[in-house]
Amino acid sequence: LPAHYAPQASVILIEANDWEDRIKQVDLSNRASMVISTSHSLDWVSIDVIWKSLSNELDEFAQKMYGYFREADQRGLKQIIVELPAARGIGIALRDRLQRAAFRQDDPLA
């Protein structure tokens, strides 16, 4: 199946090597958002954004990912922006799950 467990919020995935440039392109101004990243919170990001900072440890990412998705659902957030983990070891499986969570049946490009 192309889809997997997905939060109600839309999930936007950004590669780590594109993080600095791409996060600036995401509209964080008027949407209830959560950012999950290994980067520290950015100065220009709205105070209304919930920032979840992770270490580069893939095990930690795996342990916390779905908990953060559930938290976003409970808070009624509209979007979750995720810095994709490295494509090595368990990171390969995590990336697959994230891509499935980001998949939308009603997306005309899907």
Side-chain angles (χ1 to χ4, degrees):
L1 294 175
H4 190 56
Y5 166 76
Q8 296 299 309
S10 62
V11 178
I12 300 168
L13 306 176
I14 300 176
E15 291 286 352
N17 60 346
D18 291 337
W19 181 254
E20 292 290 325
D21 294 327
R22 293 281 315 281
I23 189 67
K24 293 175 184 173
Q25 297 172 5
V26 177
D27 181 9
L28 298 172
S29 62
N30 61 357
R31 298 191 72 183
S33 303
M34 176 183 285
V35 174
I36 303 171
S37 172
T38 60
S39 303
H40 296 290
S41 181
L42 303 172
D43 303 6
W44 57 269
V45 173
S46 166
I47 197 162
D48 295 332
V49 173
I50 299 166
W51 196 280
K52 300 294 185 178
S53 187
L54 296 171
S55 73
N56 285 318
E57 295 297 321
L58 296 175
D59 289 341
E60 177 189 2
F61 194 105
Q63 291 173 345
K64 294 184 176 184
M65 180 176 66
Y66 286 117
Y68 289 156
F69 283 0
R70 284 189 293 279
E71 180 182 342
D73 280 346
Q74 291 169 350
R75 291 176 178 254
L77 300 180
K78 302 296 179 203
Q79 66 184 0
I80 304 170
I81 300 90
V82 182
E83 179 183 350
L84 283 166
R88 60 177 164 72
I90 192 173
I92 295 168
L94 289 170
R95 290 168 68 93
D96 176 69
R97 297 308 183 277
L98 286 165
Q99 288 166 344
R100 292 172 189 267
F103 178 82
R104 295 282 178 210
Q105 288 281 140
D106 56 352
D107 184 346
L109 300 176

